[in-house]
Amino acid sequence: PASCCNPAAEAAAAAAAAAAAAATANSTANDSFSVNASQFPGKLFCWALMMPHGYEVSLMRTLLGRSAGIFGCNAYDVFSSGDIELSPGPPLRIGTTDIGSVKCNYGGKWHLALNSPVFIKVWKKVFEMRTYLQADWTVKVDPDAVFIPERLRDQMRHSDPDACV
């Protein structure tokens, strides 16, 4: 990690987290979208696909309450089947963006979720909403993944903006 064993980097990361939390407190939102006034380079649009039932709902609510994970990005969205309330507000209610059913079959040797059609549906919605155009990077994050936006931004500071990736 960027801040491992480096007190200056740890202090910078703590300051970044505090700034992101403060920015989120002053963010604007409409149902499922928020833009944070982050002062860090590399604007991020982050999104997650959340199952409508089970542990992912409470996990995403907790992350939102702590401005952690995708909620530390400049813009974010959570997709699911239906409009599931993540926060009643204030300042504003935040809910998921409905993409229809997220049900899928399971199969194959390992009995895995055959969910490619669900993710294609989400990507089509991401392109339709066009929020990603306001960001430098679009990041898809699983609800139960540990994602620290400040660390990604730190890595992006040293990237070539003209590189083809």
Side-chain angles (χ1 to χ4, degrees):
S3 66
C4 179
C5 307
N6 182 338
E10 287 177 11
T24 300
N26 296 321
S27 68
T28 60
N30 69 23
D31 288 349
S32 61
F33 172 74
S34 177
V35 177
N36 297 333
S38 174
Q39 300 299 314
F40 302 99
K43 289 187 272 181
L44 303 175
F45 168 59
C46 302
W47 65 267
L49 171 64
M50 181 186 80
M51 297 303 293
H53 307 288
Y55 74 96
E56 290 182 350
V57 177
S58 62
L59 181 57
M60 293 304 283
R61 287 175 177 154
T62 299
L63 291 170
L64 175 60
R66 296 179 180 176
S67 300
I70 70 169
F71 303 107
C73 296
N74 303 83
Y76 60 78
D77 208 335
V78 179
F79 299 92
S80 193
S81 57
D83 177 11
I84 299 165
E85 185 173 276
L86 298 175
S87 174
L92 298 171
R93 179 190 181 280
I94 298 173
T96 60
T97 297
D98 183 9
I99 59 155
S101 176
V102 296
K103 291 182 181 177
C104 65
N105 293 321
Y106 290 80
K109 179 179 178 180
W110 307 107
H111 196 66
L112 299 174
L114 305 174
N115 57 6
S116 293
V118 175
F119 280 99
I120 289 169
K121 202 171 12 174
V122 176
W123 277 111
K124 285 182 178 180
K125 189 71 169 179
V126 166
F127 292 136
E128 174 188 315
M129 294 173 70
R130 304 176 61 84
T131 305
Y132 72 95
L133 294 173
Q134 301 167 12
D136 298 311
W137 295 86
T138 298
V139 185
K140 181 265 182 207
V141 180
D142 287 344
D144 57 1
V146 175
F147 174 63
I148 305 170
E150 291 79 22
R151 291 198 178 166
L152 179 58
R153 286 187 185 103
D154 186 55
Q155 294 298 313
M156 292 185 316
R157 279 188 189 98
H158 310 291
S159 67
D160 177 0
D162 297 320
C164 295
V165 291

